[in-house]
Amino acid sequence: MLHNKKRLTFTLSAVALAAMSASPAHSAVVASIKPLGFIAAAIADGITPVEVLLPDGASEHDYALRPSDVKRIKNADLVVWTGPEMEAFLTKSAAELPASKNLEIAGLPEVKPLLIRGGEEEDEHEHDHDHHAGSEKSEEQDTSHTHHHHGEFNMHLWMSPEIAKQSAVAIHGKLLELMPQSKAKLDANLQQFEAELADADKHIGAQLAPVRNKGYFVFHDAYSYFEKHYGLSPLGHFTVNPEIQPGAQRLHQIRTQLVEQKAVCVFAEPQFRPAVIDAVSRGTSVRKGTLDPLGMGISLTKDSYVKFLSQLSSQYASCLNGA
Ligand SMILES: [Zn+2]
């Protein structure tokens, strides 16, 4: 902004027109998905606004930027996203940003050792093998398709309290570079976020302790970080990508385990209530719950990340407890 003075004199009328007509070219923190926006909102509270690209109800696996999104990214002070293996829709726009304005959580050196294996391979395999009628053995041996898989790690990083903390530290660092005059507020915000997160972590640990050994299935493979952190006992997922229907073999395996009463719950998601869950659980005593992996109903405030984790915990507990 400061070094634009000279150009300003030449384009003043154009700028004034633009300010009156189109949306103002204001800067902000722009997060790809809501949970990252929650973390950013805690750190940027009272300093700069935070916006989220992915609308409620859209899938993090499958979104296309609108022209207005591209503009928001260009004008942002800072863009926070997981990385190209999760938000492929952001790869091109993020590459055009200066490094100081581009924060890719999966690329942080503090986050890399925390990544959990398990990517997107399974459903694509099932696709092929439904046609080839392949046995389980050939499915394992088939590596010819692995090259176009998305990656070797589960990228739902916002489910991890540890990675959330590292994300907050990184957002704080980036904003400090951009707005050193706000250091005192940024420091206070980070400190408060860390304290609230530690507190929520304790509460959630206590809430989930009684259900740690109860088996269940989730709709899509989004929860590994949360489940590992709190020692839960998932039996599997219907699909890796919620846009892709689970294969027949997967459904048969899940059905078998439900009939054998190995699971007490199956979890759908607010935007995905697929008929397959009803079909697979028909005639069994399994309970149906809902998990919200993106915090759909939660608005952006400085406390929203902690609310998001606590809501998830309550969603697990209420179904697994049978309350
Ligand atoms: Zn997902």
Side-chain angles (χ1 to χ4, degrees):
M1 284 288 190
L2 290 174
H3 48 257
N4 280 347
K5 257 184 203 160
K6 209 165 92 187
R7 215 179 64 193
L8 192 68
T9 53
F10 294 102
T11 58
L12 192 62
S13 58
V15 169
L17 272 175
M20 280 186 290
S21 56
S23 59
H26 69 281
S27 305
V29 178
V30 173
S32 57
I33 54 168
K34 249 184 156 179
L36 295 180
F38 295 158
I39 301 169
I43 305 307
D45 182 58
I47 299 166
T48 187
V50 174
E51 299 173 1
V52 171
L53 290 172
L54 196 78
D56 270 353
S59 165
E60 73 274 20
H61 296 272
D62 178 22
Y63 180 64
L65 293 178
R66 299 164 298 179
S68 61
D69 293 331
V70 174
K71 222 177 277 175
R72 283 156 92 193
I73 294 165
K74 266 189 191 150
N75 292 333
D77 281 330
L78 178 63
V79 174
V80 184
W81 60 311
T82 312
E85 286 170 16
M86 174 51 74
E87 305 100 329
F89 57 86
L90 253 177
T91 308
K92 189 169 162 275
S93 292
E96 289 164 6
L97 293 169
S100 62
K101 296 187 170 192
N102 182 1
L103 179 53
E104 186 192 319
I105 302 298
L108 293 171
E110 298 80 8
V111 167
K112 282 192 173 154
L114 302 173
L115 296 181
I116 296 177
R117 279 183 194 280
E120 310 213 2
E121 68 268 28
E122 301 146 55
D123 291 299
E124 288 171 63
H125 279 271
E126 281 184 10
H127 263 348
D128 291 329
H129 289 278
D130 283 346
H131 297 296
H132 305 327
S135 66
E136 270 182 46
K137 203 174 172 191
S138 72
E139 191 165 333
E140 278 168 23
Q141 285 167 346
D142 176 20
T143 54
S144 60
H145 301 282
T146 43
H147 59 277
H148 60 229
H149 297 154
H150 287 248
E152 56 178 323
F153 297 108
N154 186 308
M155 280 293 154
H156 298 81
L157 307 184
W158 61 92
M159 294 286 178
S160 158
E162 291 108 326
I163 294 177
K165 188 177 162 177
Q166 293 302 334
S167 306
V169 169
I171 293 167
H172 170 273
K174 287 279 192 198
L175 291 181
L176 193 57
E177 277 173 39
L178 292 161
M179 314 161 183
Q181 72 281 9
S182 300
K183 182 176 190 311
K185 179 67 173 152
L186 284 168
D187 289 354
N189 285 351
L190 178 60
Q191 210 170 17
Q192 197 186 343
F193 178 79
E194 289 181 337
E196 280 182 19
L197 185 61
D199 196 42
D201 187 44
K202 240 182 258 170
H203 279 104
I204 294 170
Q207 184 179 31
L208 295 178
V211 297
R212 286 179 101 171
N213 297 321
K214 303 217 174 164
Y216 61 89
F217 288 93
V218 295
F219 176 58
H220 104 270
D221 186 22
Y223 308 93
S224 303
Y225 289 92
F226 187 91
E227 291 164 334
K228 192 182 167 202
H229 185 83
Y230 294 108
L232 298 178
S233 304
L235 294 171
H237 47 262
F238 284 73
T239 180
V240 169
N241 181 339
E243 308 292 327
I244 299 173
Q245 283 294 313
Q249 204 178 330
R250 172 72 55 91
L251 291 177
H252 179 72
Q253 286 168 356
I254 294 174
R255 170 84 189 158
T256 304
Q257 296 191 61
L258 295 185
V259 169
E260 291 171 359
Q261 299 186 326
K262 294 203 168 127
V264 299
C265 280
V266 288
F267 290 101
E269 294 177 9
Q271 66 272 52
F272 297 106
R273 301 194 161 279
V276 283
I277 291 189
D278 293 330
V280 144
S281 56
R282 191 163 296 136
T284 72
S285 57
V286 74
R287 290 187 289 272
K288 280 174 242 171
T290 302
L291 295 174
D292 180 358
L294 292 171
M296 263 176 77
I298 299 172
S299 53
L300 286 175
T301 67
K302 65 186 168 72
D303 306 314
S304 39
Y305 185 75
V306 160
K307 268 188 209 159
F308 163 65
L309 280 191
S310 303
Q311 173 179 287
L312 206 55
S313 174
S314 296
Q315 288 172 333
Y316 272 110
S318 65
C319 190
L320 295 173
N321 272 322

